[in-house]
Amino acid sequence: MASSSSSIDEEGIEKQEPTPLEKHVMFFDINKDGVIYPWETYKGFRKIGSGVLLSTVASIFINIGLSGKTRPGKWPSPLFPIEVKNIKFAKHGSDSAIYDTEGRFVPEKFEELFKKHARTNGNALTAGELDELLKANKQPKDFAGHIAAKSEWKVLYLLCKDEHGLLPKDTVRSVYDGSLFELMAKAKQSKKHGDKSSP
């Protein structure tokens, strides 16, 4: 069941916790001002180990695609900013519905995805199973939504598959709870320091 949480600050004002979908994108808000610009998206992708080309293409594609949706009622900006607090408006069709309309995580949908598609290994997805998942979620005439979903899953697979070509369930889960990118950045940083210290 989807849930959200809130807390009370020092002034006694209720402060809403970020939704899992907001946490998912907050990693790319490098200066933590609630707005993500293309150069921040680029830096975020580089931090998790993406090459220059993928990081460049992703930053352009993501910011152009999401900026207008997260800035309802505002004039288009040539800088293509994404407003984190409105990321729920950027949800696209042909997705897995693991985030609800408010950007909250729906555990039942997550488990359903693996029960339905992870047949080779119940705790991971193969490349073929990922293609089947995308095909199953594709909605009629939803070209843009399907392309967005395909891009997200393919980049995730490319960056996070294991040595056997499997995308682990725990990794996918960490995408949805917003922790994956921080973990990837730390792993890259550790590897970098390890390489420097080796003879």
Side-chain angles (χ1 to χ4, degrees):
M1 188 171 151
S3 63
S4 63
S5 59
S6 60
S7 58
I8 307 295
D9 68 15
E10 290 172 4
E11 284 81 36
I13 299 167
E14 187 176 9
K15 182 184 174 187
Q16 196 69 26
E17 289 293 317
T19 65
L21 181 55
E22 287 168 1
K23 288 179 184 174
H24 173 70
V25 299
M26 282 165 71
F27 171 81
F28 297 93
D29 182 11
I30 304 296
N31 64 358
K32 306 303 174 196
D33 65 350
V35 181
I36 304 169
Y37 290 97
W39 51 90
E40 291 181 288
T41 305
Y42 173 85
K43 285 178 185 174
F45 269 88
R46 294 291 286 146
K47 277 171 73 175
I48 61 175
S50 298
V52 172
L53 180 61
L54 176 58
S55 300
T56 302
V57 171
S59 62
I60 294 168
F61 179 77
I62 290 169
N63 281 74
I64 288 177
L66 304 187
S67 180
K69 293 176 183 177
T70 65
R71 304 175 73 247
K74 295 182 180 178
W75 286 99
S77 168
L79 298 178
F80 298 107
I82 296 169
E83 294 191 11
V84 174
K85 68 180 180 181
N86 292 328
I87 195 65
K88 65 183 179 182
F89 299 131
K91 268 178 57 67
H92 54 76
S94 299
D95 70 354
S96 56
I98 292 172
Y99 288 128
D100 69 9
T101 54
E102 292 299 312
R104 295 168 301 204
F105 178 73
V106 184
E108 295 88 350
K109 289 286 184 184
F110 179 76
E111 293 300 331
E112 184 184 308
L113 183 150
F114 277 85
K115 279 178 189 170
K116 194 181 288 186
H117 299 288
R119 293 186 303 278
T120 307
N121 178 327
N123 290 311
L125 292 166
T126 65
E129 288 165 350
L130 186 52
D131 287 337
E132 288 172 18
L133 179 159
L134 290 165
K135 190 175 178 182
N137 287 343
K138 185 178 180 183
Q139 295 167 359
K141 300 180 181 176
D142 180 27
F143 180 73
H146 178 63
I147 290 296
K150 190 171 185 178
S151 302
E152 291 164 359
W153 279 102
K154 292 290 186 179
V155 168
L156 177 64
Y157 181 81
L158 178 69
L159 294 175
C160 298
K161 65 183 177 181
D162 65 16
E163 64 273 18
H164 305 295
L166 296 172
L167 182 60
K169 183 178 183 179
D170 287 345
T171 300
V172 179
R173 176 71 170 80
S174 66
V175 172
Y176 287 104
D177 69 21
S179 64
L180 176 67
F181 300 135
E182 290 289 352
L183 292 170
M184 289 176 73
K186 282 176 186 170
K188 189 192 174 212
Q189 199 66 21
S190 298
K191 186 173 183 293
K192 196 173 172 183
H193 290 314
D195 290 344
K196 280 182 181 176
S197 61
S198 59

